[in-house]
């Protein structure tokens, strides 16, 4: 017997999931129009170390601080492909979970009462403090970030925010994730793969660092082929690449394909990118993704080098909890594919207040004013989600 299905407006469905504290993730894969929704009806905090071979099918939401907090795993209880952002087909037994009539939906995703909690001079002083640490030999690179209070939600059509961000970031991993145990919703467009493994066993990770605007001072788009990079930016990206190769050496993997660095466009930004691919079947290492995930996170692209020293400096100087910013997220074992991305170009909604995050790699050649400007440029990516 085939179960009957009913149509439910996707906005109403998501609002109900939030109201009833069901974990869910709506996401779009890079360079595609493929949008998928995964919902878990298990309201308990399912937190565990991620092993691709054992965790089953679902979605992962992991914090930056892996030493003190385990990732959340959203079991794939309900999965649907989103085609036109209007109605979705759900089994009749799921429709019974929801009271659809009580919601009045906004048409837009917008803000009111902007209030920046991190001013220019404060951030520049922190950059200067990091440079002193580097000059004293404590680290070679430190990724310093800031948290910006964007204001309060005025109109709260989350789906509209997701659509806006998908349109402005076609090459990004765009996601809208409900974290009910923290009463938080995270919306982002990550340009950076942490680890992925497809149905054929091909593993991939990237070294992505170095940032500049994709628009020149005259308002014209800069083609990736025409981008010019400073010594500081090239060195910053090379730190990440060397770290990835060292991780592979630790587990005695020497057979990999390295491509790059090359300039890639991500929304309104250009980055230097090198990709590393490995055929896990050829080297007989089926669990490579799980092992590399543990070794890589957090990478020098969000932390620094050496890792332990950089983490210590970040804890001392940043003065805020990154939470899920610069952690990782993505689908695991969905259609025999797993794709985890670094959670950057992201914002958090909590108690109707909106906070965005941005950071940059600091070396001894860094200029505090330029580092501030880089964070401002990066914040523009996520601001495009608002109507």
């Amino acid at each position: 017997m085939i179960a009957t299905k009913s149509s439910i407006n996707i906005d109403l469905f998501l609002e109900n999931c939030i109201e009833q504290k069901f974990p869910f993730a709506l996401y779009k894969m890079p360079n595609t129009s493929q949008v998928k929704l995964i919902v878990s009806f298990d309201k308990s905090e399912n937190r565990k170390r991620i092993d691709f071979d054992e965790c089953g099918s679902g979605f992962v939401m992991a914090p930056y601080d892996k030493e003190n907090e385990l990732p959340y795993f959203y079991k794939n209880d309900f999965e649907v492909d989103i085609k036109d952002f209007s109605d979705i087909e759900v089994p009749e037994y799921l429709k019974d979970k929801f009271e659809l009539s009580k919601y009045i939906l906004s048409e837009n995703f917008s803000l009111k009462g902007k209030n920046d909690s991190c001013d220019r001079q404060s951030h520049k002083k922190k950059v200067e403090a990091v440079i002193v640490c580097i000059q004293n030999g404590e680290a070679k690179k430190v990724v310093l970030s800031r948290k910006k209070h964007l204001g309060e939600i005025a109109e709260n059509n989350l789906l509209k925010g997701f659509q806006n961000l998908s349109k402005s970031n076609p090459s990004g991993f765009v996601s809208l994730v409900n974290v009910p145990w923290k009463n938080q919703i995270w919306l982002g467009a990550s340009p950076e793969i942490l680890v992925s493994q497809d149905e054929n066993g091909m593993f991939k990770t990237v070294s992505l660092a170095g940032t500049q605007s994709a628009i020149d001072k005259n308002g014209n788009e800069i083609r990736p082929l025409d981008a010019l990079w400073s010594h500081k930016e090239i060195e910053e990206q090379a730190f990440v690449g060397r770290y990835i190769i060292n991780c592979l050496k630790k587990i005695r993997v020497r057979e990999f394909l390295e491509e790059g660095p090359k300039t890639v466009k991500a929304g309104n930004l250009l980055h230097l990118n090198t990709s590393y691919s490995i055929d896990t079947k050829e080297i007989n290492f089926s669990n490579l993704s799980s092992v590399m995930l543990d070794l890589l996170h957090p990478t020098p692209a969000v932390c620094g080098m050496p890792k332990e020293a950089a983490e210590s400096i970040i804890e001392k100087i940043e003065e805020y909890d990154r939470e899920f910013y610069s952690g990782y997220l993505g689908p695991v074992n969905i259609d025999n594919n797993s794709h985890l991305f670094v959670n950057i170009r992201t914002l958090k909604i909590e108690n109707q207040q909106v906070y965005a995050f941005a950071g940059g790699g600091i070396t001894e050649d860094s200029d505090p004013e330029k580092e501030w400007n880089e964070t401002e440029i990066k914040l523009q990516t996520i601001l495009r989600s608002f109507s």
Side-chain angles (χ1 to χ4, degrees):
M1 180 178 178
I2 299 175
T4 58
K5 292 185 177 182
S6 299
S7 294
I8 295 181
N9 180 274
I10 185 173
D11 299 86
L12 294 174
F13 188 82
L14 296 180
E15 287 290 336
N16 273 272
C17 286
I18 293 169
E19 179 74 19
Q20 298 192 50
K21 298 187 179 299
F22 290 128
F24 70 76
L26 180 72
Y27 64 89
K28 179 194 79 70
M29 295 300 296
N31 300 309
T32 73
S33 58
Q34 175 191 351
V35 177
K36 193 178 288 287
L37 173 65
I38 290 175
V39 183
S40 172
F41 296 120
D42 182 358
K43 297 182 182 181
S44 62
E45 291 189 64
N46 187 2
R47 309 189 73 167
K48 58 185 177 182
R49 181 179 173 274
I50 301 303
D51 186 313
F52 290 67
D53 287 345
E54 297 179 0
C55 64
S57 174
F59 192 91
V60 174
M61 186 70 169
Y64 164 74
D65 183 2
K66 77 172 186 180
E67 299 302 323
N68 297 302
E69 290 194 76
L70 289 170
Y72 288 95
F73 182 75
Y74 295 11
K75 184 175 177 290
N76 184 14
D77 291 324
F78 176 66
E79 173 190 334
V80 62
D81 292 318
I82 307 299
K83 296 180 180 178
D84 58 7
F85 292 99
S86 56
D87 292 345
I88 58 174
E89 295 292 318
V90 300
E92 199 68 37
Y93 76 89
L94 288 184
K95 186 177 180 181
D96 294 340
K97 290 179 177 285
F98 302 113
E99 300 174 31
L100 300 180
S101 60
K102 67 177 181 176
Y103 293 98
I104 301 175
L105 295 174
S106 301
E107 293 185 1
N108 298 309
F109 185 57
S110 61
L111 290 167
K112 62 182 178 181
K114 292 184 180 180
N115 176 26
D116 189 0
S117 60
C118 178
D119 63 24
R120 180 192 298 258
Q121 291 306 315
S122 173
H123 186 71
K124 287 170 65 175
K125 285 181 180 178
K126 290 179 180 180
V127 172
E128 290 168 356
V130 170
I131 292 172
V132 169
C133 292
I134 293 171
Q135 290 173 339
N136 290 338
E138 296 177 39
K140 293 181 179 180
K141 170 189 172 181
V142 176
V143 179
L144 184 70
S145 70
R146 52 184 278 240
K147 175 182 178 181
K148 181 173 183 175
H149 181 212
L150 298 181
E152 183 180 351
I153 288 290
E155 293 185 83
N156 196 18
N157 189 321
L158 293 169
L159 190 62
K160 183 66 175 178
F162 177 89
Q163 289 176 285
N164 291 343
L165 206 53
S166 296
K167 185 176 180 179
S168 61
N169 291 270
S171 63
F173 174 76
V174 181
S175 59
L176 176 71
V177 184
N178 184 34
V179 189
W181 313 280
K182 293 182 176 288
N183 293 313
Q184 296 175 353
I185 295 167
W186 288 73
L187 173 66
S190 175
E192 184 174 357
I193 297 170
L194 182 59
V195 297
S196 73
Q197 187 161 317
D198 67 18
E199 58 188 351
N200 297 316
M202 288 301 299
F203 166 90
K204 183 178 180 180
T205 187
V206 304
S207 162
L208 186 138
T211 302
Q212 63 176 274
S213 175
I215 308 297
D216 67 18
K217 61 182 179 181
N218 298 317
N220 300 315
E221 185 173 335
I222 301 171
R223 296 187 309 165
L225 285 173
D226 296 330
L228 300 176
W229 297 98
S230 69
H231 170 76
K232 182 258 182 185
E233 292 161 330
I234 293 170
E235 181 183 50
E236 183 186 340
Q237 197 262 348
F239 276 134
V240 186
R242 287 197 292 268
Y243 179 76
I244 291 171
I245 292 172
N246 285 335
C247 287
L248 292 171
K249 286 181 178 178
K250 283 182 181 179
I251 55 175
R252 299 181 180 180
V253 173
R254 294 177 174 82
E255 297 161 4
F256 58 87
L257 175 63
E258 180 179 1
E259 296 181 280
K262 63 181 180 180
T263 303
V264 296
K265 187 174 185 292
N268 61 319
L269 301 173
L270 297 174
H271 300 287
L272 280 169
N273 181 90
T274 302
S275 66
Y276 301 85
S277 303
I278 300 168
D279 187 334
T280 62
K281 292 182 179 179
E282 188 174 287
I283 66 171
N284 194 27
F285 200 154
S286 62
N287 206 29
L288 177 65
S289 293
S290 304
V291 174
M292 285 297 289
L293 175 63
D294 195 46
L295 288 172
L296 288 173
H297 177 66
T299 74
V302 297
C303 176
M305 284 286 286
K307 182 184 289 190
E308 292 77 13
E311 286 178 321
S312 177
I313 294 170
I314 289 168
E315 184 177 0
K316 178 174 63 176
I317 294 176
E318 269 191 358
E319 298 178 332
Y320 82 97
D321 183 357
R322 289 187 179 187
E323 299 180 285
F324 295 105
Y325 167 65
S326 66
Y328 59 86
L329 76 172
V332 174
N333 297 324
I334 302 293
D335 301 325
N336 296 315
N337 287 266
S338 298
H339 304 282
L340 296 179
F341 297 80
V342 183
N343 193 16
I344 53 177
R345 316 290 181 266
T346 187
L347 64 78
K348 173 186 75 168
I349 303 170
E350 185 174 16
N351 299 321
Q352 296 299 107
Q353 301 300 311
V354 184
Y355 303 89
F357 305 81
I362 312 301
T363 69
E364 61 181 354
D365 297 322
S366 291
D367 175 81
E369 181 68 22
K370 289 182 179 179
E371 295 300 335
W372 165 265
N373 291 336
E374 180 176 321
T375 62
E376 285 290 285
I377 292 170
K378 287 177 176 176
L379 288 169
Q380 291 303 312
T381 299
I382 196 65
L383 286 171
R384 292 183 175 195
S385 62
F386 296 101
S387 302

Short mmCIF file of all heavy atoms in Angstrom, two decimals, residues 72-106:
data_model
loop_
_atom_site.label_atom_id
_atom_site.label_comp_id
_atom_site.label_asym_id
_atom_site.label_seq_id
_atom_site.Cartn_x
_atom_site.Cartn_y
_atom_site.Cartn_z
N TYR A 72 26.98 18.18 16.36
CA TYR A 72 25.60 17.71 16.34
C TYR A 72 25.38 16.89 15.08
O TYR A 72 25.83 17.27 14.00
CB TYR A 72 24.62 18.88 16.33
CG TYR A 72 24.51 19.64 17.62
CD1 TYR A 72 25.27 20.78 17.85
CD2 TYR A 72 23.63 19.22 18.62
CE1 TYR A 72 25.17 21.49 19.03
CE2 TYR A 72 23.51 19.93 19.81
CZ TYR A 72 24.28 21.07 20.01
OH TYR A 72 24.18 21.76 21.18
N PHE A 73 24.65 15.78 15.23
CA PHE A 73 24.30 14.96 14.07
C PHE A 73 22.78 14.92 13.95
O PHE A 73 22.08 14.52 14.87
CB PHE A 73 24.85 13.54 14.19
CG PHE A 73 24.54 12.68 13.00
CD1 PHE A 73 25.24 12.86 11.81
CD2 PHE A 73 23.54 11.73 13.04
CE1 PHE A 73 24.95 12.09 10.68
CE2 PHE A 73 23.24 10.95 11.93
CZ PHE A 73 23.94 11.14 10.75
N TYR A 74 22.26 15.36 12.80
CA TYR A 74 20.83 15.37 12.52
C TYR A 74 20.50 14.11 11.72
O TYR A 74 20.83 14.02 10.54
CB TYR A 74 20.44 16.59 11.70
CG TYR A 74 20.61 17.94 12.36
CD1 TYR A 74 21.32 18.08 13.56
CD2 TYR A 74 20.08 19.08 11.79
CE1 TYR A 74 21.47 19.32 14.15
CE2 TYR A 74 20.23 20.33 12.36
CZ TYR A 74 20.93 20.44 13.55
OH TYR A 74 21.09 21.67 14.14
N LYS A 75 19.84 13.16 12.35
CA LYS A 75 19.46 11.93 11.66
C LYS A 75 18.44 12.26 10.56
O LYS A 75 17.52 13.05 10.76
CB LYS A 75 18.86 10.94 12.66
CG LYS A 75 18.51 9.58 12.07
CD LYS A 75 18.04 8.64 13.17
CE LYS A 75 17.62 7.30 12.60
NZ LYS A 75 16.37 7.40 11.81
N ASN A 76 18.63 11.64 9.41
CA ASN A 76 17.80 11.92 8.25
C ASN A 76 16.46 11.18 8.35
O ASN A 76 16.26 10.14 7.73
CB ASN A 76 18.55 11.52 6.98
CG ASN A 76 17.80 11.87 5.72
OD1 ASN A 76 16.85 12.63 5.76
ND2 ASN A 76 18.23 11.32 4.60
N ASP A 77 15.52 11.76 9.12
CA ASP A 77 14.20 11.15 9.27
C ASP A 77 13.27 11.54 8.12
O ASP A 77 12.36 10.79 7.79
CB ASP A 77 13.57 11.57 10.59
CG ASP A 77 14.29 10.98 11.79
OD1 ASP A 77 14.74 9.82 11.69
OD2 ASP A 77 14.41 11.67 12.82
N PHE A 78 13.48 12.71 7.56
CA PHE A 78 12.64 13.17 6.45
C PHE A 78 13.52 13.96 5.49
O PHE A 78 14.22 14.88 5.88
CB PHE A 78 11.50 14.04 6.96
CG PHE A 78 10.66 14.63 5.86
CD1 PHE A 78 9.89 13.83 5.04
CD2 PHE A 78 10.64 16.01 5.66
CE1 PHE A 78 9.12 14.37 4.02
CE2 PHE A 78 9.87 16.56 4.64
CZ PHE A 78 9.10 15.75 3.82
N GLU A 79 13.48 13.58 4.22
CA GLU A 79 14.32 14.21 3.20
C GLU A 79 13.47 14.53 1.98
O GLU A 79 12.66 13.71 1.55
CB GLU A 79 15.45 13.25 2.81
CG GLU A 79 16.30 13.69 1.65
CD GLU A 79 17.24 12.59 1.17
OE1 GLU A 79 17.59 11.71 1.97
OE2 GLU A 79 17.63 12.62 -0.02
N VAL A 80 13.64 15.75 1.46
CA VAL A 80 12.87 16.13 0.29
C VAL A 80 13.69 17.08 -0.57
O VAL A 80 14.43 17.93 -0.06
CB VAL A 80 11.52 16.78 0.69
CG1 VAL A 80 11.73 18.06 1.48
CG2 VAL A 80 10.65 17.03 -0.53
N ASP A 81 13.60 16.91 -1.88
CA ASP A 81 14.22 17.84 -2.82
C ASP A 81 13.28 19.01 -3.03
O ASP A 81 12.09 18.82 -3.28
CB ASP A 81 14.51 17.15 -4.15
CG ASP A 81 15.60 16.09 -4.03
OD1 ASP A 81 16.60 16.35 -3.35
OD2 ASP A 81 15.43 15.00 -4.62
N ILE A 82 13.85 20.22 -2.95
CA ILE A 82 13.05 21.43 -3.11
C ILE A 82 13.19 21.91 -4.55
O ILE A 82 14.31 22.16 -5.02
CB ILE A 82 13.50 22.53 -2.14
CG1 ILE A 82 13.54 22.00 -0.70
CG2 ILE A 82 12.62 23.76 -2.26
CD1 ILE A 82 12.20 21.53 -0.18
N LYS A 83 12.08 22.09 -5.23
CA LYS A 83 12.14 22.44 -6.65
C LYS A 83 11.69 23.88 -6.93
O LYS A 83 12.34 24.61 -7.65
CB LYS A 83 11.31 21.46 -7.46
CG LYS A 83 11.86 20.03 -7.39
CD LYS A 83 11.03 19.05 -8.19
CE LYS A 83 11.61 17.64 -8.10
NZ LYS A 83 10.78 16.65 -8.84
N ASP A 84 10.58 24.29 -6.35
CA ASP A 84 10.07 25.63 -6.70
C ASP A 84 9.85 26.53 -5.48
O ASP A 84 9.27 27.61 -5.60
CB ASP A 84 8.78 25.51 -7.51
CG ASP A 84 7.70 24.74 -6.75
OD1 ASP A 84 7.90 24.41 -5.57
OD2 ASP A 84 6.65 24.48 -7.36
N PHE A 85 10.28 26.10 -4.30
CA PHE A 85 10.18 26.89 -3.07
C PHE A 85 8.74 27.29 -2.74
O PHE A 85 8.49 28.32 -2.12
CB PHE A 85 11.06 28.14 -3.14
CG PHE A 85 12.52 27.85 -3.14
CD1 PHE A 85 13.24 27.84 -4.32
CD2 PHE A 85 13.19 27.58 -1.95
CE1 PHE A 85 14.60 27.56 -4.34
CE2 PHE A 85 14.55 27.30 -1.96
CZ PHE A 85 15.25 27.29 -3.15
N SER A 86 7.79 26.48 -3.13
CA SER A 86 6.40 26.78 -2.78
C SER A 86 5.87 25.67 -1.87
O SER A 86 5.92 25.78 -0.65
CB SER A 86 5.55 26.94 -4.03
OG SER A 86 5.64 25.79 -4.86
N ASP A 87 5.39 24.59 -2.48
CA ASP A 87 4.84 23.48 -1.69
C ASP A 87 5.77 22.27 -1.76
O ASP A 87 6.48 22.07 -2.75
CB ASP A 87 3.47 23.07 -2.22
CG ASP A 87 2.42 24.14 -1.98
OD1 ASP A 87 2.70 25.05 -1.16
OD2 ASP A 87 1.35 24.07 -2.61
N ILE A 88 5.75 21.48 -0.71
CA ILE A 88 6.47 20.21 -0.70
C ILE A 88 5.47 19.09 -0.39
O ILE A 88 4.47 19.30 0.29
CB ILE A 88 7.62 20.20 0.32
CG1 ILE A 88 7.11 20.49 1.74
CG2 ILE A 88 8.70 21.18 -0.06
CD1 ILE A 88 8.18 20.35 2.82
N GLU A 89 5.77 17.93 -0.91
CA GLU A 89 4.92 16.76 -0.67
C GLU A 89 5.40 16.03 0.58
O GLU A 89 6.58 15.67 0.67
CB GLU A 89 4.97 15.83 -1.88
CG GLU A 89 4.39 16.42 -3.15
CD GLU A 89 2.88 16.62 -3.03
OE1 GLU A 89 2.19 15.72 -2.49
OE2 GLU A 89 2.41 17.68 -3.48
N VAL A 90 4.51 15.83 1.52
CA VAL A 90 4.86 15.12 2.75
C VAL A 90 3.84 14.02 3.00
O VAL A 90 2.66 14.15 2.63
CB VAL A 90 4.91 16.06 3.98
CG1 VAL A 90 5.95 17.14 3.78
CG2 VAL A 90 3.56 16.67 4.26
N PRO A 91 4.27 12.91 3.61
CA PRO A 91 3.31 11.86 3.98
C PRO A 91 2.25 12.40 4.92
O PRO A 91 2.50 13.33 5.70
CB PRO A 91 4.20 10.81 4.67
CG PRO A 91 5.57 11.07 4.17
CD PRO A 91 5.65 12.55 3.96
N GLU A 92 1.07 11.83 4.84
CA GLU A 92 -0.06 12.32 5.64
C GLU A 92 0.26 12.30 7.14
O GLU A 92 -0.15 13.20 7.88
CB GLU A 92 -1.29 11.44 5.36
CG GLU A 92 -2.61 12.10 5.75
CD GLU A 92 -2.95 13.30 4.88
OE1 GLU A 92 -2.66 13.25 3.68
OE2 GLU A 92 -3.48 14.27 5.44
N TYR A 93 1.03 11.31 7.58
CA TYR A 93 1.33 11.22 9.02
C TYR A 93 2.20 12.38 9.49
O TYR A 93 2.16 12.77 10.66
CB TYR A 93 1.99 9.89 9.37
CG TYR A 93 3.45 9.76 8.99
CD1 TYR A 93 4.46 10.14 9.88
CD2 TYR A 93 3.82 9.26 7.75
CE1 TYR A 93 5.79 10.02 9.53
CE2 TYR A 93 5.14 9.14 7.40
CZ TYR A 93 6.13 9.52 8.29
OH TYR A 93 7.45 9.40 7.94
N LEU A 94 2.98 12.97 8.58
CA LEU A 94 3.78 14.13 8.95
C LEU A 94 2.93 15.39 9.02
O LEU A 94 3.14 16.26 9.87
CB LEU A 94 4.92 14.34 7.96
CG LEU A 94 6.07 13.35 8.02
CD1 LEU A 94 7.16 13.76 7.03
CD2 LEU A 94 6.66 13.28 9.42
N LYS A 95 1.98 15.51 8.13
CA LYS A 95 1.11 16.69 8.13
C LYS A 95 0.37 16.81 9.45
O LYS A 95 0.11 17.92 9.94
CB LYS A 95 0.12 16.60 6.98
CG LYS A 95 -0.72 17.86 6.81
CD LYS A 95 -1.64 17.77 5.61
CE LYS A 95 -2.48 19.03 5.47
NZ LYS A 95 -3.40 18.95 4.32
N ASP A 96 0.04 15.67 10.05
CA ASP A 96 -0.69 15.69 11.32
C ASP A 96 0.13 16.29 12.46
O ASP A 96 -0.41 16.64 13.51
CB ASP A 96 -1.12 14.27 11.70
CG ASP A 96 -2.14 13.70 10.73
OD1 ASP A 96 -2.78 14.51 10.03
OD2 ASP A 96 -2.29 12.47 10.67
N LYS A 97 1.45 16.41 12.29
CA LYS A 97 2.30 16.98 13.34
C LYS A 97 2.15 18.49 13.44
O LYS A 97 2.54 19.10 14.41
CB LYS A 97 3.78 16.66 13.06
CG LYS A 97 4.18 15.21 13.25
CD LYS A 97 5.66 15.04 12.93
CE LYS A 97 6.10 13.60 13.16
NZ LYS A 97 6.25 13.27 14.58
N PHE A 98 1.60 19.13 12.41
CA PHE A 98 1.67 20.59 12.32
C PHE A 98 0.31 21.26 12.38
O PHE A 98 -0.68 20.76 11.87
CB PHE A 98 2.37 20.98 11.02
CG PHE A 98 3.74 20.40 10.90
CD1 PHE A 98 4.04 19.45 9.95
CD2 PHE A 98 4.75 20.79 11.77
CE1 PHE A 98 5.31 18.90 9.85
CE2 PHE A 98 6.02 20.25 11.68
CZ PHE A 98 6.30 19.31 10.72
N GLU A 99 0.31 22.46 13.00
CA GLU A 99 -0.86 23.33 13.02
C GLU A 99 -0.54 24.49 12.08
O GLU A 99 0.07 25.48 12.49
CB GLU A 99 -1.13 23.82 14.44
CG GLU A 99 -1.40 22.71 15.43
CD GLU A 99 -1.50 23.25 16.85
OE1 GLU A 99 -1.95 24.41 17.00
OE2 GLU A 99 -1.13 22.53 17.77
N LEU A 100 -0.98 24.39 10.87
CA LEU A 100 -0.52 25.32 9.84
C LEU A 100 -1.25 26.65 9.83
O LEU A 100 -0.73 27.63 9.33
CB LEU A 100 -0.64 24.66 8.47
CG LEU A 100 0.15 23.37 8.29
CD1 LEU A 100 -0.06 22.83 6.89
CD2 LEU A 100 1.62 23.60 8.53
N SER A 101 -2.41 26.73 10.40
CA SER A 101 -3.22 27.93 10.24
C SER A 101 -2.77 29.11 11.09
O SER A 101 -3.15 30.24 10.83
CB SER A 101 -4.67 27.60 10.60
OG SER A 101 -4.76 27.16 11.94
N LYS A 102 -1.95 28.90 12.11
CA LYS A 102 -1.65 29.99 13.05
C LYS A 102 -0.50 30.88 12.61
O LYS A 102 -0.18 31.85 13.29
CB LYS A 102 -1.34 29.40 14.43
CG LYS A 102 -0.07 28.59 14.51
CD LYS A 102 0.17 28.13 15.95
CE LYS A 102 1.46 27.33 16.07
NZ LYS A 102 1.74 26.96 17.46
N TYR A 103 0.14 30.59 11.47
CA TYR A 103 1.30 31.36 11.05
C TYR A 103 0.93 32.41 10.01
O TYR A 103 0.21 32.13 9.06
CB TYR A 103 2.39 30.44 10.49
CG TYR A 103 2.99 29.56 11.56
CD1 TYR A 103 2.55 28.25 11.71
CD2 TYR A 103 3.97 30.05 12.41
CE1 TYR A 103 3.08 27.45 12.71
CE2 TYR A 103 4.49 29.24 13.40
CZ TYR A 103 4.05 27.95 13.55
OH TYR A 103 4.57 27.16 14.52
N ILE A 104 1.44 33.62 10.22
CA ILE A 104 1.36 34.69 9.23
C ILE A 104 2.78 34.95 8.75
O ILE A 104 3.64 35.38 9.53
CB ILE A 104 0.73 35.96 9.81
CG1 ILE A 104 -0.69 35.66 10.33
CG2 ILE A 104 0.70 37.07 8.77
CD1 ILE A 104 -1.34 36.82 11.03
N LEU A 105 3.04 34.69 7.49
CA LEU A 105 4.41 34.76 6.99
C LEU A 105 4.77 36.14 6.48
O LEU A 105 3.96 36.83 5.86
CB LEU A 105 4.59 33.74 5.86
CG LEU A 105 4.44 32.28 6.27
CD1 LEU A 105 4.50 31.40 5.03
CD2 LEU A 105 5.51 31.87 7.26
N SER A 106 6.02 36.54 6.73
CA SER A 106 6.55 37.76 6.15
C SER A 106 6.88 37.51 4.68
O SER A 106 7.06 36.38 4.26
CB SER A 106 7.83 38.19 6.89
OG SER A 106 7.56 38.42 8.26
#
